[in-house]
Coordinates of all heavy atoms in Angstrom, one line a residue:
L441 N 63.9 116.9 114.9 CA 63.4 117.3 116.2 C 61.9 117.5 116.2 O 61.2 117.0 117.1 CB 64.0 118.7 116.6 CG 63.6 119.2 118.0 CD1 63.8 118.3 119.1 CD2 64.2 120.6 118.2
K442 N 61.4 118.1 115.1 CA 60.0 118.2 114.9 C 59.2 116.9 114.9 O 58.2 116.7 115.6 CB 59.7 119.0 113.6 CG 58.2 119.3 113.4 CD 58.0 120.0 112.1 CE 56.5 120.2 111.7 NZ 56.3 120.9 110.4
R443 N 59.8 115.9 114.2 CA 59.2 114.6 114.1 C 59.3 113.8 115.4 O 58.4 113.1 115.8 CB 59.8 113.8 112.9 CG 59.5 114.4 111.6 CD 60.1 113.7 110.4 NE 59.8 114.3 109.1 CZ 60.3 114.0 108.0 NH1 61.1 112.9 107.9 NH2 59.9 114.6 106.9
F444 N 60.5 113.9 116.1 CA 60.6 113.3 117.4 C 59.5 113.8 118.4 O 58.9 113.1 119.1 CB 62.0 113.6 118.0 CG 63.1 112.7 117.5 CD1 62.9 111.8 116.4 CD2 64.3 112.6 118.1 CE1 63.9 111.0 116.0 CE2 65.3 111.8 117.8 CZ 65.1 110.9 116.7
T445 N 59.4 115.1 118.4 CA 58.4 115.8 119.3 C 57.0 115.3 119.0 O 56.2 115.0 119.9 CB 58.5 117.3 119.2 OG1 59.9 117.7 119.5 CG2 57.6 118.0 120.2
D446 N 56.7 115.2 117.7 CA 55.4 114.8 117.3 C 55.1 113.3 117.7 O 54.0 113.0 118.2 CB 55.3 114.9 115.7 CG 53.9 114.4 115.2 OD1 52.9 114.9 115.7 OD2 53.9 113.5 114.4
R447 N 56.1 112.5 117.6 CA 56.0 111.1 118.0 C 55.8 111.0 119.5 O 55.0 110.2 120.0 CB 57.2 110.3 117.6 CG 57.3 110.0 116.1 CD 58.6 109.3 115.8 NE 58.7 108.9 114.4 CZ 59.6 108.2 113.8 NH1 60.6 107.7 114.5 NH2 59.6 107.9 112.5
Q448 N 56.5 111.8 120.2 CA 56.5 111.8 121.7 C 55.1 112.2 122.2 O 54.6 111.7 123.2 CB 57.5 112.7 122.3 CG 57.7 112.6 123.8 CD 59.1 112.0 124.1 OE1 59.8 111.4 123.3 NE2 59.6 112.3 125.3
N449 N 54.5 113.2 121.5 CA 53.2 113.8 121.9 C 52.0 113.1 121.3 O 50.8 113.5 121.6 CB 53.2 115.3 121.5 CG 54.2 116.0 122.3 OD1 54.7 115.6 123.4 ND2 54.7 117.2 121.7
T450 N 52.2 112.1 120.5 CA 51.1 111.4 119.9 C 51.0 109.9 120.4 O 52.0 109.2 120.1 CB 51.2 111.4 118.3 OG1 51.4 112.7 117.9 CG2 49.9 110.8 117.7
P451 N 50.0 109.6 121.2 CA 50.0 108.2 121.8 C 50.3 107.1 120.9 O 51.0 106.2 121.2 CB 48.6 108.2 122.5 CG 48.3 109.6 122.7 CD 48.9 110.4 121.6
E452 N 49.6 107.1 119.7 CA 49.7 106.0 118.8 C 51.1 105.9 118.0 O 51.4 105.0 117.3 CB 48.6 106.0 117.7 CG 48.5 107.2 116.9 CD 47.6 108.2 117.5 OE1 47.4 108.3 118.7 OE2 47.0 109.0 116.7

Side-chain angles (χ1 to χ4, degrees):
L441 178 59
K442 181 181 176 183
R443 291 180 184 175
F444 275 14
T445 305
D446 178 55
R447 288 178 176 184
Q448 192 115 337
N449 296 334
T450 308
E452 59 268 26

